[in-house]
Amino acid sequence: MFTNVEHIGIAVRDLTASNALFASLFNTQPYKSEEVTSEGVMTSFFRFNNGSGQTKIELLVPTRPDSPIATYLEKRGEGIHHLAFEVTDIVTEMARLKAEGFVLLNETPKPGADNKLVCFLHPKTTNGVLIELCQERPLEGQ
Ligand SMILES: CC[C@H](C(=O)O)C(=O)SCCNC(=O)CCNC(=O)[C@H](O)C(C)(C)COP(=O)(O)OP(=O)(O)OC[C@H]1O[C@@H](n2cnc3c(N)ncnc32)[C@H](O)[C@@H]1OP(=O)(O)O
Ligand SMILES: [Co+2]
């Protein structure tokens, strides 16, 4: 089940400059920065706590030329890259979405930032919007 907009991914060229820009916009500092080597990205997160949960902004800069973010920046420049949704059971959702005809970009959940398991859907099957599913990874030993 989809439960929340977990984060909005924004592709940027300069993480230091964009951290300062969004810190000025939001009047708050990013709460973490994390490299996801498997994706060739460095991320920086801002979060907003609302009554029912939290929504995050994820800034992404490429760490390798073959990173999806590098390709995106080359072709489309800086901007909103993806929408991420929190799901309660990513494996069940992936099977449901596949059966519904959505194209999964990874057949099994893969590690994401901020202690998540993630799956991406091809934007060709989602009206041109790159969608990411996120499920909280169980803590070690849970
Ligand atoms: C997981 C760590 C972190 C987290 O939150 O935890 C992240 O979010 S990491 C984010 C970076 N990783 C990914 O984006 C993985 C999924 N993305 C991909 O597999 C590719 O980027 C893909 C398949 C979406 C596009 O790759 P491709 O090599 O095919 O690039 P093209 O430029 O040829 O694109 C093909 C086609 O798709 C359109 N496109 C590409 N990116 C996007 C996008 N972000 N949003 C919407 N549409 C997109 C592109 O315009 C092309 O369409 P066309 O009509 O042919 O021009
Ligand atoms: Co993301």
Side-chain angles (χ1 to χ4, degrees), residues 1-6 84-94 96-97 116-119 131-136:
M1 184 169 74
F2 282 52
T3 58
N4 190 22
V5 174
E6 212 281 330
F85 293 90
E86 188 172 10
V87 294
T88 46
D89 177 345
I90 193 165
V91 172
T92 300
E93 282 305 309
M94 288 171 67
R96 180 184 69 80
L97 291 165
K116 296 288 184 295
L117 287 174
V118 304
C119 174
I131 300 290
E132 178 184 359
L133 311 181
C134 297
Q135 178 187 307
E136 191 79 28

Side-chain angles (χ1 to χ4, degrees), residues 7 39 58 68 72 75-76 81-82 112-113 124 128 130 132:
H7 63 266
E39 298 292 323
E58 175 188 63
Y72 184 88
K75 295 193 175 179
R76 302 170 78 159
H81 178 261
H82 61 276
K124 288 285 189 203
L130 180 59
E132 178 184 359

Side-chain angles (χ1 to χ4, degrees), residues 6-7 9 11 34-41 43 45 58 60 66-69 71-72 75-76 79-84 105-106 110-124 126-134 137:
E6 212 281 330
H7 63 266
E34 180 180 348
E35 183 170 8
V36 184
T37 47
S38 56
E39 298 292 323
V41 297
T43 65
F45 284 94
E58 175 188 63
L60 302 123
D66 65 338
S67 158
I69 297 296
T71 308
Y72 184 88
K75 295 193 175 179
R76 302 170 78 159
I80 292 178
H81 178 261
H82 61 276
L83 293 183
L105 290 167
N106 50 288
K110 61 181 179 179
D114 219 15
N115 195 48
K116 296 288 184 295
L117 287 174
V118 304
C119 174
F120 288 89
L121 306 182
H122 201 293
K124 288 285 189 203
T126 52
N127 274 163
V129 179
L130 180 59
I131 300 290
E132 178 184 359
L133 311 181
C134 297
R137 262 185 279 186

Side-chain angles (χ1 to χ4, degrees), residues 98-109:
K98 188 168 184 177
E100 296 263 0
F102 294 95
V103 172
L104 308 186
L105 290 167
N106 50 288
E107 285 299 324
T108 56

